[in-house]
Amino acid sequence: MPKNRNTFSSLTAWRRRIASRAVHGGWGWIKEAGAVTAEHPGKLRFRRIGSGTRLAFPQGTVFGEPWIELGDHCIIAEQVTLTAGMMPGLDLGADPILTLGNGVVLGRGSHVIADTTVTIGSDTYCGPYVYITSTNHSYDDPHQPVGKQWPRMEPVEIGPGCWLGTGAVVLPGARLGRNVVVAAGAVVRGEVPDHAVVAGAPARIVRTWDEENGWQPPLRTPAPVPIPEGVTPQQLLAIAELTPEEA
């Protein structure tokens, strides 16, 4: 009897391994097939989708694509929402509403809601679950439900080279300069100058940089070691694959 039980357990484990490989292999194929690129846009017809740009599968809510421009080499992670206009099927005019520059990264579960113009500059990186919106509810009339009152809309502009941490929120009317850092969970409104770090809700400036004084207050961590000149991406990948003993 123990022998039969062991045989049955081994057969069950073998079947589970086979099923697991099949499921993971199938899901990998589905994700690859469902990804959106310039060459394989599927049903999405963006105003522009640049070379090397990829929207991972499954995508979040996407509508108003004829008014959305995506630059080259953008990375749009899974379940990212990109919308232009308040609802699908509207004619938004001749100009783009939502524009992503080259090399923009939107982390998993992020939302970019552009009822009026939203511009994200090149090489801006967003962590997971970042929320960027040009629209907010109004509550002027105390006798009407907030959700039934006409919302307020203001353009949003995020400069190039910014970094938005996990869960950051950018509200209507916000204008971020170049190379701005937004801390995780910060809620940003208004103008933020170039080379500033903001944190909190509402966000406030906690660090700035200029040519004369450098970072103020001074950074508490040493600068990272730069990659030596002449090192190729292939060499970096080879280094990453080394074991601790080989390194």
Side-chain angles (χ1 to χ4, degrees):
M1 187 67 181
K3 184 177 179 181
N4 290 341
R5 185 176 299 154
N6 290 341
T7 301
F8 179 76
S9 298
S10 298
L11 183 60
T12 300
W14 177 80
R15 286 175 174 169
R16 181 169 293 176
R17 284 196 298 271
I18 295 298
S20 177
R21 289 175 184 171
V23 168
H24 285 283
W27 180 241
W29 182 89
I30 289 170
K31 289 177 70 175
E32 185 64 29
V36 171
T37 64
E39 297 77 20
H40 304 284
K43 67 177 183 178
L44 300 177
R45 294 294 182 265
F46 291 102
R47 181 185 184 98
R48 178 177 183 268
I49 178 168
S51 171
T53 289
R54 181 183 177 93
L55 285 76
F57 180 86
Q59 291 89 37
T61 300
V62 179
F63 62 76
E65 308 97 282
W67 293 272
I68 299 176
E69 289 191 354
L70 308 177
D72 299 337
H73 305 290
C74 295
I75 299 174
I76 315 297
E78 297 177 13
Q79 299 291 355
V80 169
T81 290
L82 298 172
T83 64
M86 295 188 70
M87 62 187 70
L90 299 178
D91 184 349
L92 305 177
D95 299 323
I97 300 296
L98 171 56
T99 304
L100 272 59
N102 297 333
V104 170
V105 175
L106 297 176
R108 179 187 178 94
S110 293
H111 291 64
V112 184
I113 310 299
D115 291 344
T116 187
T117 55
V118 173
T119 303
I120 302 178
S122 296
D123 300 313
T124 286
Y125 288 13
C126 299
Y129 307 108
V130 167
Y131 192 91
I132 300 167
T133 181
S134 65
T135 303
N136 210 347
H137 291 288
S138 61
Y139 50 89
D140 303 59
D141 186 346
H143 306 295
Q144 287 290 330
V146 172
K148 292 185 177 181
Q149 298 186 47
W150 192 254
R152 285 188 169 86
M153 303 178 191
E154 293 183 76
V156 171
E157 184 177 346
I158 299 173
C162 294
W163 162 244
L164 281 64
T166 301
V169 177
V170 179
L171 293 175
R175 295 184 64 186
L176 280 62
R178 175 185 296 272
N179 284 29
V180 168
V181 176
V182 178
V187 179
V188 185
R189 62 182 303 169
E191 294 206 20
V192 180
D194 295 350
H195 309 294
V197 180
V198 297
R204 61 185 181 86
I205 296 174
V206 296
R207 181 170 276 124
T208 58
W209 179 92
D210 62 50
E211 288 281 1
E212 184 178 347
N213 300 306
W215 285 106
Q216 296 297 326
L219 298 175
R220 293 173 290 182
T221 54
V225 178
I227 298 171
E229 250 185 85
V231 174
T232 66
Q234 291 76 15
Q235 289 171 324
L236 290 175
L237 288 172
I239 292 170
E241 291 173 357
L242 293 177
T243 65
E245 294 76 16
E246 291 172 327

